[in-house]
Structure formats: structure tokens, C-alpha cells
Amino acid sequence: MKVDPRCQRCGSSSESINHVLLSCPVARLVWAQIGFPFPPRGFEHRSLLENFDYLLGISTRKEVPGEISRVFPWVVWLEATVNKIQDDCRHWFEVVQAGENSKVGSRNLHLNGNRWRPPSAGKLKCNLGIAWSKGKSLAGTSWIVRDARGEVLMHSRRRAFSGIHSLLEAKHFGLTWAIESMLSHKIVNVCLEIEASELVGVVKRPKAWPAFRA
């Protein structure tokens, strides 16, 4: 397959992962605008392995602020606008914190006697956890799949959603994502458990919940 080997941003004749993400003049401009400290020889004079070793180790440098040292995954992933990178990075850690707070509540419920109930033999159960920040319109959700013996078969990494304006909307996105995940992983014969009576009603008796038809 014939392709143009040049970088489509700067016209360099040697496009590579290292070039596109780190050493291209356009990429270096983004890194500079975000305020990320460059290595002594610059990104352009180091290998991809050396550059990522530098990125992963930057958090150990006390003189680099935390909001700068932890932003590099978003720069690598987006390389769009500096404001977008900073916003996405900030939203992620806010949702992570909200999720940690929700774990405390979950543990307290467990200690009060509301224990997990296993599915029937031969079936699986997927439990969903939802955290929502009203002030920041952010939601975080995760799921875990266990068998009738309580053995964990699979679990998700926490996923973040922005622009969420109600707890019900957060639960809707979380439930939809969990269903899509079950299909993607080909997990069948599974029941989903979530604290959302409205959504459960919509799924089981859609005609009785016409306002939720969409």
C-alpha cells in the first residue's frame, strides 16, 4: 500500500510515532503551551522509549507542579487545544475523587447489612456503581461481573462522562455503557443490578414509562 511517508503537519520526510507525538514542531508547540518541561536534549533528539521514560518519570520531580506532571497522557491523546487538554485532565481527576468518595458510602452500606446477593446457578451478575457531581456536571461509573459463587470474572476501569445534569442521566449513561460492555465482551446470561428504579421500570415495563421512551 503506497502512502505518503511525510508528516502531514510539518512536511518532514520521516513521520513516526515519536515524531507525531513529541518531536514535530506542531507537537512541540503544544507541549510548550501546556507548560510541560522539556528534557535536556529536547524530544527531537531522543528515541520514543527515552521520551516515554522521561514522561513517566516526570512526576518524581518535586519542582514540577502536579497539574503539569500528570497532564501528559491528555497531550499525547488529544494534541488539540491547550484549554481542552487542561479541562479533560481536570475532569478526569475530579471524577476519580468523586468515585473514591462513593466507595466510602458503599463500604458503609455493606457494614450496615446490605450485602451482595449472588445470581442463580449458571448465571452472572453485573453490578454498576455511579458517582455524580452536581456542581461540575460530571459522572463516573464502573461495573463488576461475578458468578454465583461471588468470584469476580471481569471488571471495568472507571469511565467518566461530562455534561451530565442529573443523577438519573448519570445512571442512564452508566447502564447503557454497561450493556454495551457486556455485548462487546460477549458476556451472556447476565443480569444487571443498579440502584435506579426508574430505569429498571423503563426496561421491564416500557409502556408504563412513556416519558422515558427516548
Side-chain angles (χ1 to χ4, degrees):
M1 182 177 180
K2 293 183 179 180
V3 296
D4 187 348
R6 295 173 299 174
C7 174
Q8 300 303 302
R9 287 181 167 183
C10 69
S12 171
S13 59
S14 57
E15 184 183 59
S16 65
I17 296 174
N18 196 43
H19 175 84
V20 170
L21 298 180
L22 299 156
S23 65
C24 175
V26 178
R28 294 205 306 271
L29 178 61
V30 174
W31 288 103
Q33 288 178 328
I34 208 74
F36 200 90
F38 280 55
R41 292 185 291 129
F43 290 124
E44 64 271 24
H45 299 298
R46 300 159 62 98
S47 68
L48 181 63
L49 182 61
E50 289 177 315
N51 280 330
F52 268 85
D53 181 67
Y54 172 80
L55 294 176
L56 292 169
I58 199 70
S59 61
T60 61
R61 293 174 52 178
K62 295 181 180 180
E63 71 274 16
V64 180
E67 62 270 17
I68 296 297
S69 64
R70 69 188 188 184
V71 79
F72 81 87
W74 282 266
V75 182
V76 170
W77 180 252
L78 295 173
E79 275 200 10
T81 66
V82 172
N83 289 337
K84 174 65 174 173
I85 290 169
Q86 291 172 330
D87 286 345
D88 280 16
C89 177
R90 184 176 63 256
H91 288 168
W92 170 262
F93 285 98
E94 287 174 348
V95 170
V96 168
Q97 184 59 51
E100 292 299 323
N101 294 339
S102 70
K103 285 183 181 179
V104 175
S106 298
R107 285 195 292 271
N108 292 337
L109 284 174
H110 183 78
L111 294 174
N112 290 335
N114 295 332
R115 297 183 180 276
W116 179 80
R117 291 178 297 175
S120 57
K123 290 188 177 182
L124 304 176
K125 176 176 281 190
C126 174
N127 289 89
L128 284 77
I130 308 290
W132 176 60
S133 171
K134 180 179 180 180
K136 298 180 175 64
S137 299
L138 296 172
T141 181
S142 58
W143 53 259
I144 183 171
V145 176
R146 288 174 282 203
D147 60 18
R149 296 177 298 175
E151 295 290 333
V152 176
L153 304 181
M154 186 176 294
H155 64 86
S156 70
R157 295 176 181 269
R158 189 178 292 112
R159 177 170 178 179
F161 296 94
S162 60
I164 305 301
H165 302 294
S166 71
L167 180 57
L168 181 60
E169 186 180 9
K171 292 178 178 180
H172 167 255
F173 274 94
L175 179 60
T176 303
W177 174 58
I179 293 172
E180 292 172 348
S181 298
M182 296 303 102
L183 293 171
S184 175
H185 291 292
K186 296 181 172 57
I187 298 177
V188 297
N189 204 13
V190 58
C191 60
L192 288 90
E193 193 167 68
I194 182 174
E195 293 182 6
S197 58
E198 303 94 334
L199 295 181
V200 174
V202 169
V203 173
K204 289 188 173 182
R205 297 185 301 130
K207 291 184 179 180
W209 298 80
F212 289 81
R213 184 171 298 171

